[in-house]
C-alpha cells in the first residue's frame, strides 16, 4: 500500500530565511511524486512534480524538491521565503497517475 | 479557460437534510475526483471517475453518500441524510487521464456545515 507522511504539521519561519518541508513516502512500486499548495479559501494547485529523470525538480515560485529513492523522501525547499508563501503545502504520491494519495499537509507560516 | 467550477461555495443545512454538491470539470478532461478535507483527516479521496464511469469509490464513507457523473461536463455528490460529522470542505478535481503530467486541477471547494 502507498502512503505519504509529512512529519511537520506547522513550520514557522521568518521572511527571507530558507525553508524545508519534509515528505516521506511508502510504496513497493515506482511512484510519481507531487507537491501542491493551498492558499486560504482556495483549492490546491500544483507546485512541482517528479515523474522520472533528474531527481532535482524545480517548480513555480522558486520552490524545488529532490527525489531520494534510497531514503524514500521528496522534501520541498526554498532558499528564501516571502510572506506570500504562507499557505498549506501537501505532498502526494501515485503510481498510475489516476489516484493521488495526499499527506496531511504542512502549514508554512512566514513572519516579517 | 474556465477552471473546475463547484457550487455552492458555502452550504449550511440542518442534520437530516439532503445536500447536493455540484461540479463542472475542465472541458476535455476525462477523469474527475471528489475529495473531502477536514482538520482531523486532511484530504480524503472519496470517489473518482474515468470517462464518466466510477472507478474507485472505496473512500465513500457510507451509504449516505452517493456520486454520479451523467455526462463529461457534470458531476454531483449527494449526502442523504446529512449529519454534523459531514461538515467539511468538499473539493472536486479533474485531470486528463493518461497524460504525462498526472496533474489534478482543483475547484475552489464547497464548504458544508451541518448543524
Amino acid at each position: 500500500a502507498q502512503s505519504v507522511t509529512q512529519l511537520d504539521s506547522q513550520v514557522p519561519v521568518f521572511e527571507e530565511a530558507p525553508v524545508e518541508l519534509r515528505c516521506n513516502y511508502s510504496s513497493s512500486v515506482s511512484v510519481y511524486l507531487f507537491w501542491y499548495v493551498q492558499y486560504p479559501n482556495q483549492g490546491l494547485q500544483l507546485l512541482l512534480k517528479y515523474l522520472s529523470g533528474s531527481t532535482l525538480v524545480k517548480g513555480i515560485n522558486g520552490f524545488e524538491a529532490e527525489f531520494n529513492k534510497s531514503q524514500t523522501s521528496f522534501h520541498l525547499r526554498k532558499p528564501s521565503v516571502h510572506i506570500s508563501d504562507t499557505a498549506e503545502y501537501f505532498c502526494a504520491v501515485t503510481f498510475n497517475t489516476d489516484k493521488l494519495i495526499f499527506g496531511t499537509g504542512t502549514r508554512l507560516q512566514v513572519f516579517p | 479557460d474556465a477552471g473546475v467550477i463547484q457550487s455552492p461555495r458555502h452550504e449550511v443545512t440542518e442534520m437530516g437534510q439532503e445536500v447536493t454538491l455540484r461540479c463542472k470539470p475542465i472541458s476535455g478532461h476525462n477523469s474527475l475526483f471528489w475529495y473531502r478535507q477536514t482538520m482531523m483527516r486532511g484530504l480524503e479521496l472519496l470517489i473518482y471517475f474515468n470517462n464518466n464511469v466510477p472507478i474507485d469509490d472505496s473512500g465513500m464513507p457510507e451509504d449516505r453518500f452517493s456520486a454520479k457523473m451523467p455526462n463529461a461536463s457534470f458531476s454531483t455528490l449527494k449526502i442523504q441524510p446529512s449529519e454534523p460529522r459531514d461538515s467539511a470542505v468538499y473539493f472536486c478535481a479533474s485531470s486528463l487521464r493518461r497524460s504525462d503530467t498526472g496533474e489534478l486541477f482543483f475547484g475552489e471547494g464547497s464548504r458544508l456545515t451541518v448543524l
Side-chain angles (χ1 to χ4, degrees):
Chain A
Q2 298 171 329
S3 65
V4 179
T5 302
Q6 292 182 248
L7 293 170
D8 306 305
S9 59
Q10 294 187 60
V11 173
V13 64
F14 286 108
E15 195 173 22
E16 297 183 8
V19 70
E20 177 179 87
L21 306 184
R22 295 181 293 169
C23 173
N24 289 87
Y25 68 92
S26 173
S27 176
S28 57
V29 298
S30 296
V31 297
Y32 301 132
L33 294 155
F34 305 80
W35 276 98
Y36 280 77
V37 60
Q38 183 180 29
Y39 299 104
N41 298 315
Q42 293 186 26
L44 283 70
Q45 61 186 86
L46 183 68
L47 262 184
L48 50 78
K49 60 183 181 285
Y50 172 78
L51 302 180
S52 64
S54 173
T55 57
L56 183 62
V57 179
K58 293 189 183 297
I60 62 173
N61 301 339
F63 283 93
E64 63 181 33
E66 185 159 18
F67 171 57
N68 189 318
K69 189 174 182 179
S70 62
Q71 297 187 5
T72 61
S73 68
F74 190 56
H75 301 332
L76 181 70
R77 301 185 182 100
K78 186 169 182 177
S80 176
V81 294
H82 302 285
I83 296 286
S84 59
D85 293 322
T86 294
E88 188 94 17
Y89 292 80
F90 292 90
C91 184
V93 63
T94 184
F95 73 93
N96 65 3
T97 74
D98 274 358
K99 183 174 174 179
L100 273 183
I101 308 298
F102 285 90
T104 51
T106 297
R107 170 80 177 158
L108 175 63
Q109 180 72 54
V110 181
F111 294 96
Chain B
D1 286 341
V4 176
I5 299 172
Q6 292 187 245
S7 64
R9 290 293 313 277
H10 301 274
E11 174 98 5
V12 180
T13 190
E14 292 187 345
M15 183 174 66
Q17 296 299 305
E18 177 178 296
V19 173
T20 299
L21 308 178
R22 298 172 178 80
C23 175
K24 177 179 170 55
I26 292 173
S27 177
H29 282 188
N30 51 10
S31 291
L32 184 139
F33 305 77
W34 282 101
Y35 283 87
R36 178 172 68 177
Q37 185 177 36
T38 60
M39 290 291 291
M40 292 296 292
R41 291 197 174 92
L43 268 168
E44 305 171 274
L45 177 64
L46 300 178
I47 185 172
Y48 77 93
F49 298 82
N50 283 337
N51 296 317
N52 314 337
V53 176
I55 301 301
D56 184 348
D57 65 354
S58 59
M60 296 286 263
E62 47 199 272
D63 292 345
R64 298 184 298 106
F65 285 70
S66 63
K68 293 182 180 179
M69 192 164 187
N71 56 62
S73 60
F74 184 66
S75 176
T76 59
L77 178 67
K78 186 175 292 186
I79 309 171
Q80 167 63 17
S82 59
E83 297 182 3
R85 59 188 168 133
D86 302 329
S87 297
V89 181
Y90 291 81
F91 287 103
C92 177
S94 69
S95 73
L96 186 59
R97 187 169 182 251
R98 298 192 189 282
S99 74
D100 63 354
T101 66
E103 179 176 0
L104 295 188
F105 294 81
F106 282 79
E108 294 189 322
S110 294
R111 182 176 296 275
L112 173 65
T113 303
V114 183
L115 303 174

